[in-house]
């Protein structure tokens, strides 16, 4: 068996050493976790779907000139990516009130927000990924003011692209989370989109029925998670072949 060097194992993905310096292999597991790992299950087929959906989105973003770490999909569960220095911030863009926003501020779920809202969370499991401000990010040196500007501009562009993409197939993009990293190219350093974009990291509601087509089905014990992810893939016209 091919013994690859494992660089990092997270809740839903494993990173292995890549075939060339500066590359990694991102492996999508079937594990679903929520509430900072307090709820954990293995959902057959989830990794395959997220690998394929994330490939589709990252390829489109690359084609639009939004730089990402994605190089190409290798097989059903793995993709080749560029190695980046991950910024320890999760950037959330919200269009409709849901999730932690509704709990924190008492806004009713489903309320259309007057404009898209960007939030930042400090990636730290021990602290439960706390909400932080731009001031915290620059004061603690997690990103420079210029990097923060680039991150927010990317978040807005990605929101515009994804909102349109999903609207075209009858899905409302409620919110999503992205992670960003620094990529060094010669003597240039730039911010690129990293990690994944999938129904694990977005809230997606059917525009007609408001049915949830995302990880909230798992968080809220609704069942039908894989079926919902399959429906997202089907509407995007993505074929899940057996390779
Ligand atoms: O829980 P909350 O409402 O803050 O989540 C906002 C968005 O970010 C949701 O789409 C959720 O799926 C995503 N998220 C994520 N990973 C986290 C926290 C939130 O993908 N650790």
């Amino acid at each position: 068996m091919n013994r690859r060097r494992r660089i990092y194992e997270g809740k839903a993905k494993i990173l292995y050493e890549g075939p060339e310096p500066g590359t990694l292999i991102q492996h999508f597991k079937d594990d679903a976790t929520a509430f900072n790992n307090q709820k954990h299950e293995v959902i057959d087929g989830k990794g395959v779907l997220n690998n394929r959906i994330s490939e589709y989105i990252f390829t489109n973003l690359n084609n639009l000139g939004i730089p990402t770490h994605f190089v190409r999909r290798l097989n059903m569960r793995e993709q080749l990516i560029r190695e980046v220095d991950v910024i320890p911030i999760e950037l959330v863009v919200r269009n409709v009130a849901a999730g932690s926003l509704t709990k924190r501020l008492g806004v009713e779920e489903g309320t259309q927000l007057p404009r898209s809202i960007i939030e930042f969370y400090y990636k730290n499991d021990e602290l439960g990924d706390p909400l932080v401000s731009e001031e915290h990010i620059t004061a603690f040196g997690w990103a420079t003011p210029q990097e923060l500007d680039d991150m927010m501009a990317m978040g807005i562009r990605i929101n515009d692209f994804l909102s349109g993409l999903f609207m075209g197939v009858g899905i409302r993009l409620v919110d999503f989370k992205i992670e960003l990293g620094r990529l060094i190219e010669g003597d240039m350093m730039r911010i690129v989109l990293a990690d994944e974009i999938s129904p694990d990291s977005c809230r997606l509601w059917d525009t007609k029925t408001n049915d949830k087509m995302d990880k909230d089905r798992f968080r809220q014990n609704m069942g039908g998670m894989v079926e919902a992810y399959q429906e997202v893939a089907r509407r995007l016209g993505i074929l899940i072949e057996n390779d």
Side-chain angles (χ1 to χ4, degrees), residues 38-52:
Q38 288 172 46
K39 181 173 160 72
H40 177 230
E41 266 172 53
V42 174
I43 312 266
D44 278 349
K46 181 177 81 80
V48 172
L49 283 154
N50 282 353
N51 184 25
R52 198 66 186 79

Side-chain angles (χ1 to χ4, degrees), residues 112-128:
Q112 180 72 42
L113 299 172
R115 63 189 194 99
S116 303
I117 292 175
I118 298 184
E119 294 174 347
F120 307 98
Y121 293 85
Y122 176 45
K123 265 166 73 79
N124 184 313
D125 281 346
E126 266 171 49
L127 300 176

